[in-house]
């Protein structure tokens, strides 16, 4: 049976203990001509003092989720030297941290012996998976929900193995 994909507020709103996110791509839906990535390439950087200008409503949702006592963690497996897009992510990560997320980075060469699922995912309370599917160009190809216990265990084990080896954002030096 296929489950409908909830909205982000519904998904994170359902979390009672934890929400973990594993990202494994070096590029996501990059538009070099317009949008936040293009603005970053042109020199724009978020002002740490201007929280109102940061990515809304996503950061508000993270802040609300964390304020309910939910532990929100994100791990990124990245190739080194990092892609330009990864530099863009790195430069804006302080906004996620300010909203309450914990974020770590794992160089891909240190992930070779970790059993990883084939797609990025969110795992809610260790049981509900939101698979994130992407095209070869990095555009979203939609999400999928699963409550399969074996898949949830794979995701939980993979995330924890990555988290254990990964470097906290404030210690990771981009190369």
């Amino acid at each position: 049976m296929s489950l409908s994909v909830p909205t982000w507020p519904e998904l994170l709103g359902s979390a009672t203990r934890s929400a973990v996110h594993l990202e494994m791509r070096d590029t996501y839906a990059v538009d070099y001509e317009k949008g936040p990535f293009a603005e970053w390439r042109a020199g724009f950087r978020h002002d740490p003092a201007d929280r109102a200008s940061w990515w809304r409503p996503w950061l508000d949702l993270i802040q609300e989720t964390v304020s309910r006592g939910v532990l929100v963690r994100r791990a990124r497996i990245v190739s080194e030297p990092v892609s330009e897009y990864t530099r863009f992510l790195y430069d804006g990560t302080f906004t996620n941290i300010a909203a309450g997320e914990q974020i770590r980075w794992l160089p891909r060469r240190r992930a070779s012996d970790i059993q990883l699922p084939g797609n990025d995912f969110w795992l809610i309370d260790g049981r509900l998976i939101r698979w994130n599917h992407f095209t070869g160009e990095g555009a979203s190809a939609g999400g999928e929900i699963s409550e399969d216990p074996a898949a949830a265990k794979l995701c939980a084990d993979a995330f924890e193995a990555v988290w254990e080896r990964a470097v906290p954002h404030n210690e990771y030096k981009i190369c």
Side-chain angles (χ1 to χ4, degrees):
M1 176 171 106
S2 178
L3 301 173
S4 65
V5 178
T7 65
W8 291 111
E10 291 168 341
L11 183 70
L12 291 176
S14 74
T16 60
R17 297 182 323 278
S18 66
V20 300
H21 182 41
L22 183 60
E23 296 177 342
M24 299 180 282
R25 297 179 57 93
D26 289 318
T27 302
Y28 293 89
V30 173
D31 187 335
Y32 290 92
E33 303 299 323
K34 61 184 181 202
F37 184 64
E39 293 165 2
W40 177 85
R41 290 180 90 214
F44 173 80
R45 298 299 182 268
H46 287 288
D47 178 353
D50 186 12
R51 291 178 73 111
S53 71
W54 300 350
W55 188 22
R56 304 289 184 211
W58 178 255
L59 295 174
D60 295 329
L61 178 58
I62 293 298
Q63 190 169 8
E64 186 277 323
T65 302
V66 170
S67 73
R68 292 188 292 106
V70 176
L71 178 62
V72 179
R73 297 182 293 162
R74 179 187 308 248
R76 293 177 170 142
I77 298 174
V78 295
S79 299
E80 291 180 327
V82 300
S83 69
E84 184 181 29
Y85 187 83
T86 298
R87 287 183 185 281
F88 161 69
L89 288 178
Y90 182 85
D91 282 351
T93 293
F94 77 91
T95 65
N96 298 76
I97 291 170
E101 268 190 81
Q102 296 178 26
I103 299 177
R104 292 187 181 182
W105 303 80
L106 181 64
R108 192 171 308 281
R109 72 185 181 297
R110 295 187 52 213
S112 296
D113 62 346
I114 299 174
Q115 292 183 358
L116 299 168
N119 294 291
D120 289 12
F121 64 86
W122 278 89
L123 180 63
I124 306 298
D125 292 334
R127 61 163 192 80
L128 179 65
I129 307 161
R130 186 199 195 274
W131 298 112
N132 294 331
H133 299 295
F134 297 94
T135 68
E137 298 297 319
S140 175
E144 179 183 359
I145 296 294
S146 173
E147 291 182 314
D148 176 59
K153 182 175 180 350
L154 171 66
C155 290
D157 290 349
F159 185 86
E160 293 305 327
V162 168
W163 190 258
E164 184 177 305
R165 291 185 191 182
V167 180
H169 177 73
N170 64 346
E171 297 173 22
Y172 182 66
K173 302 302 177 221
I174 204 161
C175 64

